Amino acid sequence: MIVHVLTLFPGLFDGFLRESIVRIAQDKGALAVDLIDFRRYAKDRHGTVDDRPFGGGPGMLLKPEPIFEAVETLEAQRGPMHRVLLTPAGDLLTQATAERLAGLPELLLLCGRYEGFDERIRLGISWEEISIGEYVLSGGEVPAMVIIDAIARLQPGVLGDEESALRESFREGLLDFPQFTRPRVFRGMSVPGVLLSGNHAEIEAWRRQEAARRTQERSGAAPEEQQDR
Ligand code: ADE
């Protein structure tokens, strides 16, 4: 899949794209990331991409022209594609959203900066608006990286077979079960005996139960409403 990112700070993505699963996804040909600095579509020779709001008020807004030009130029080359605007006012990102986006052949992410956008960027181009959480960041670059990470690991062949199979079975919709590695006892804390038993059916049942318990505990239910603690 190809992810095009419209950003004023392509350098922010350097380390992120060079390491770990996102790197593996690119090396395997499952993911390509195309960083587009939309300052190059600015109308003046100073590369102006923002301006003061009409009616007054603090801060600067992204101007519409460079973004319209960037989107139109890209889509003239590649064809229309699904577009995502990263904004704290968007719908909260979920794993279901990541799965839907991961299935697209091509995706465009627009990273905002400064205090916001000229509203015509919303009115004149259709976007899915996504937020990564109820807090305000200084731009959409970190949210774009969050989305790229979430979709990179969902591309076929990126994670090992075992991990993908696990994900697709009973872990679907549940938080992870607790896991342990060596040593068997660390500072008085022992690895649960069932995990050392070699009985795979019992291990799977235990993991299923622990994942369900953890999901329920973290779902926000008050402790007294929780059962089987
Ligand atoms: N831009 C600034 N804050 C953001 C957030 N929480 N999610 C998405 N984009 C943003």
Side-chain angles (χ1 to χ4, degrees):
M1 118 174 247
I2 307 181
V3 182
H4 306 272
V5 185
L6 296 183
T7 171
L8 293 173
F9 297 95
L12 284 174
F13 293 80
D14 284 353
F16 169 70
L17 292 176
R18 266 191 278 113
E19 306 279 353
S20 190
I21 296 289
V22 172
R23 167 70 175 268
I24 292 170
Q26 293 168 95
D27 288 350
K28 289 190 167 172
L31 175 75
V33 179
D34 167 35
L35 299 172
I36 303 167
D37 182 349
F38 61 86
R39 193 180 295 282
R40 73 173 196 248
Y41 294 98
K43 293 271 120 188
D44 62 354
R45 49 192 184 85
H46 307 293
T48 307
V49 289
D50 61 331
D51 209 339
R52 294 192 305 272
F54 279 120
M60 301 287 272
L61 302 179
L62 288 178
K63 293 165 66 60
E65 306 95 311
I67 290 168
F68 275 71
E69 286 245 338
V71 172
E72 284 162 4
T73 305
L74 175 68
E75 293 194 353
Q77 291 162 357
R78 311 270 333 161
M81 64 189 77
H82 191 67
R83 312 182 196 98
V84 168
L85 177 66
L86 295 157
T87 162
D91 293 330
L92 274 186
L93 179 65
T94 62
Q95 187 63 20
T97 307
E99 280 166 17
R100 173 168 52 77
L101 298 178
L104 299 169
E106 206 145 342
L107 176 65
L108 173 61
L109 303 178
L110 170 58
C111 307
R113 274 270 145 183
Y114 311 110
E115 275 66 29
F117 308 89
D118 183 295
E119 187 63 18
R120 290 164 294 187
I121 292 167
R122 285 203 172 88
L123 297 174
I125 303 176
S126 65
W127 306 95
E128 176 177 7
E129 299 193 18
I130 296 182
S131 164
I132 64 157
E134 294 179 341
Y135 39 79
V136 180
L137 301 168
S138 28
E141 283 77 10
V142 169
M145 290 185 237
V146 167
I147 290 183
I148 292 169
D149 187 301
I151 66 185
R153 60 199 305 288
L154 292 172
Q155 296 305 307
V158 170
L159 299 182
D161 288 347
E162 212 182 318
E163 203 173 335
S164 315
L166 262 180
R167 194 181 64 221
E168 272 146 32
S169 62
F170 61 85
R171 284 169 64 183
E172 202 65 59
L174 295 177
L175 296 177
D176 275 347
F177 45 79
Q179 303 215 71
F180 298 85
T181 184
R182 281 182 288 191
R184 287 182 180 211
V185 182
F186 173 68
R187 299 197 180 181
M189 296 175 280
S190 300
V191 175
V194 59
L195 299 178
L196 311 173
S197 68
N199 182 330
H200 294 292
E202 271 184 29
I203 292 172
E204 185 166 328
W206 181 87
R207 286 178 165 170
R208 211 182 271 271
Q209 182 192 316
E210 289 299 312
R213 183 205 305 275
R214 190 176 267 193
T215 306
Q216 191 191 15
E217 276 176 7
R218 312 237 170 134
S219 68
E224 61 274 18
E225 292 168 20
Q226 292 175 5
Q227 281 149 28
D228 191 29
R229 290 200 92 207

